């Protein structure tokens, strides 16, 4: 069994490095601040995950942008949203009602949190899923094949918003204000999506799709070797719906017809994507590492994810038919989330085991 020895040594070495990195409690930003010129091996992505066949440049490969106050009829808006959710699972919205200065302040707050005094930041570093407010680097650090060039501040803002005194001073107030705005927009989107499915306007809301909101403030530091790692490995979201605010740096890509299609930054726009739990079409997406950053993004997930939730979810009975049979078996979000979290971003879908 001599030949297996080097592999074992490499595995031990990797595990030691992961632990050492985690114990710094300063994330990827800490490595960049220390002036590293080469990325540590734990961040090296398998080369196959870094390839990106470019799409033939045509309007067929442009993700849709939808004007929520475009002046057309409700019916035409419902059709546009339904079409984008079904064909792409991803679209941008403009005139969404969230004021520009709220978006700017939100991004600025997340940047301030990540760039503040290290000692204060360390106080929030945790991997305890029960913590209300968590700052960490790579939620799946110890289970994924490669770590990502990204740090994250996360917090559930609904149904029970944290107490202001538990939130970081740099961005706490903004977290609460921003999530209220996102909740309003989310309610509208779930209404439009319900109508697009031919259901009652409140159908998805009545299924508790808007009960809980998880907010993640991502910070993607500039990377000295952006061709060797990723900001965020390809994945499906563990939500019904995600509303994402990205800054001007770019790097977010969506897998569409085998091509990685850029989601270009549009000032004032928000990116909306369907998650595993809604399955209009849940789409894989990833973020490239950047040299020009930091890149800041704020992802808000409508899902109860890590919270106890006994409700059983399955195919919506009203729209099943012989031509449209169920594709997945019933599950609870708790069951699904446990599986999603334990496997980390390993390139596979969290829904495979639910397929009928
Ligand atoms: C996510 C995500 C994209 C981004 O947090 O699930 O896909 O641009 N984020 O940060
Ligand atoms: Ni995502």
């Amino acid at each position: 069994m001599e030949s297996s020895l080097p592999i074992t040594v490499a595995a031990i070495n990797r595990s030691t490095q992961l632990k050492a990195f985690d114990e710094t409690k300063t994330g990827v930003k800490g490595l960049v601040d220390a002036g590293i010129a080469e990325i540590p091996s734990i961040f090296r992505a398998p080369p196959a995950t870094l390839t990106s066949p470019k799409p033939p440049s045509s309007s067929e490969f442009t993700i849709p942008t939808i004007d929520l106050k475009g002046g057309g009829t409700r019916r035409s808006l419902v059709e546009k949203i339904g079409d984008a959710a079904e064909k792409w699972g991803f679209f941008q919205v403009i005139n969404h009602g969230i004021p520009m200065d709220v978006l700017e302040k939100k991004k600025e707050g997340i940047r301030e949190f990540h760039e503040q005094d290290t000692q204060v930041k360390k106080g929030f570093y945790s991997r305890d899923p029960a913590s209300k407010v968590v700052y960490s680097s790579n939620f799946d650090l110890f289970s994924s094949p490669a770590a990502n060039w990204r740090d994250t501040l996360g917090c559930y803002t609904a149904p029970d918003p944290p107490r202001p005194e538990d939130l970081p001073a740099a961005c706490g107030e903004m977290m609460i204000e921003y999530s209220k705005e996102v909740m309003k927009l989310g309610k509208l989107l779930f209404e439009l999506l319900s109508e697009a499915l031919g259901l009652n306007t409140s159908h998805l809301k009545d299924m508790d799709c808007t009960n809980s909101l998880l907010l993640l403030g991502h910070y993607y530091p500039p990377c000295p070797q952006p061709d060797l790692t990723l900001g965020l490995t390809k994945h499906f979201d563990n939500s019904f719906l995600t509303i994402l605010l990205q800054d001007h740096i770019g790097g977010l890509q969506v897998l569409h017809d085998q091509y990685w299609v850029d989601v270009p930054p549009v000032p004032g726009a928000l990116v909306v994507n369907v998650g595993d739990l809604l399955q209009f079409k849940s789409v894989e997406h990833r973020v490239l590492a950047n040299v020009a950053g930091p890149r800041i993004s704020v992802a808000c997930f409508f899902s109860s994810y890590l919270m106890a939730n006994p409700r059983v979810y399955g195919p919506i009975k009203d729209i099943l038919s012989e031509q449209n049979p169920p594709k997945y078996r019933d599950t609870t979000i708790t069951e699904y989330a446990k599986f999603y979290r334990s496997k980390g971003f390993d390139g596979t879908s969290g829904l495979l085991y639910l397929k009928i």
Side-chain angles (χ1 to χ4, degrees):
M1 296 301 285
E2 250 177 18
S3 62
S4 72
L5 197 59
I7 296 169
T8 317
V9 170
I12 292 172
N13 192 7
R14 175 173 171 81
S15 138
T16 310
Q17 282 185 49
L18 289 172
K19 251 188 152 157
F21 168 70
D22 198 37
E23 279 164 10
T24 65
K25 300 190 177 186
T26 52
V28 176
K29 170 93 170 52
L31 299 175
V32 173
D33 288 345
I36 54 150
E38 282 184 18
I39 65 169
S41 59
I42 53 170
F43 290 93
R44 285 191 178 239
T49 67
L50 293 164
T51 58
S52 53
K54 279 272 163 219
S57 54
S58 86
S59 60
E60 262 174 68
F61 288 93
T62 304
I63 83 153
T65 298
I66 298 174
D67 186 342
L68 294 184
K69 293 204 180 82
T73 60
R74 172 94 172 181
R75 188 68 236 154
S76 74
L77 180 57
V78 164
E79 269 168 26
K80 272 186 213 149
I81 297 257
D83 205 49
E86 199 177 319
K87 293 211 180 92
W88 280 88
F90 245 91
F91 50 94
Q92 309 221 42
V93 288
I94 54 171
N95 285 320
H96 43 62
I98 306 187
M100 192 73 167
D101 69 310
V102 173
L103 303 181
E104 287 309 313
K105 275 196 224 148
K106 181 69 228 164
K107 277 183 285 185
E108 213 31 59
I110 294 299
R111 173 202 285 273
E112 261 175 48
F113 172 82
H114 287 279
E115 294 182 354
Q116 72 183 312
D117 178 80
T118 308
Q119 283 314 318
V120 179
K121 208 166 60 162
K122 276 184 178 174
F124 288 95
Y125 200 88
S126 161
R127 290 195 181 275
D128 178 2
S131 302
K132 277 247 164 186
V133 185
V134 165
Y135 153 59
S136 77
S137 187
N138 291 260
F139 80 96
D140 56 351
L141 186 67
F142 296 101
S143 53
S144 65
N148 290 160
W149 206 254
R150 175 185 90 257
D151 301 329
T152 302
L153 171 69
C155 168
Y156 276 101
T157 54
D160 306 311
R163 297 177 308 177
E165 59 269 33
D166 293 337
L167 285 164
C171 58
E173 233 171 86
M174 240 3 251
M175 278 182 140
I176 304 294
E177 185 179 343
Y178 181 69
S179 70
K180 276 189 197 146
E181 295 282 351
V182 168
M183 189 51 97
K184 266 193 269 172
L185 173 60
K187 284 185 174 155
L188 170 65
L189 292 171
F190 279 109
E191 284 181 5
L192 295 167
L193 288 166
S194 298
E195 290 178 31
L197 288 168
L199 300 166
N200 249 333
T201 306
S202 65
H203 195 105
L204 291 170
K205 193 173 136 267
D206 295 342
M207 286 177 68
D208 295 345
C209 291
T210 57
N211 274 21
S212 111
L213 192 67
L214 169 67
L215 185 154
L216 299 183
H218 296 305
Y219 186 91
Y220 300 84
C223 180
Q225 294 175 301
D227 298 336
L228 299 182
T229 187
L230 285 163
L232 177 55
T233 301
K234 75 164 181 176
H235 66 283
F236 299 92
D237 282 359
N238 52 57
S239 58
F240 293 104
L241 201 71
T242 306
I243 297 181
L244 178 94
L245 165 64
Q246 64 167 337
D247 72 4
H248 59 286
I249 296 286
L252 175 61
Q253 297 184 319
V254 174
L255 192 58
H256 184 76
D257 285 348
Q258 320 289 322
Y259 294 111
W260 283 107
V261 179
D262 292 325
V263 182
V266 175
L270 288 163
V271 181
V272 178
N273 70 282
V274 176
D276 274 354
L277 301 173
L278 193 53
Q279 265 314 314
F280 251 89
K281 183 175 191 175
S282 172
V283 181
E284 282 181 301
H285 51 287
R286 68 179 184 185
V287 179
L288 302 178
N290 68 79
V291 272
R295 173 179 184 270
I296 316 275
S297 72
V298 185
C300 289
F301 303 86
F302 287 91
S303 158
S304 60
Y305 194 35
L306 292 175
M307 290 179 159
N309 180 354
R311 186 167 183 148
V312 174
Y313 284 92
I316 297 175
K317 308 259 179 322
D318 314 46
I319 50 177
L320 289 178
S321 64
E322 234 167 79
Q323 291 75 42
N324 189 24
K327 298 194 179 87
Y328 301 96
R329 68 170 176 80
D330 288 356
T331 187
T332 60
I333 297 181
T334 310
E335 177 197 38
Y336 155 80
K338 212 167 138 190
F339 178 71
Y340 188 101
R341 196 170 172 86
S342 67
K343 79 183 186 61
F345 291 156
D346 63 354
T348 67
S349 163
L351 287 179
L352 278 181
Y353 81 112
L354 293 173
K355 277 228 155 92
I356 289 175

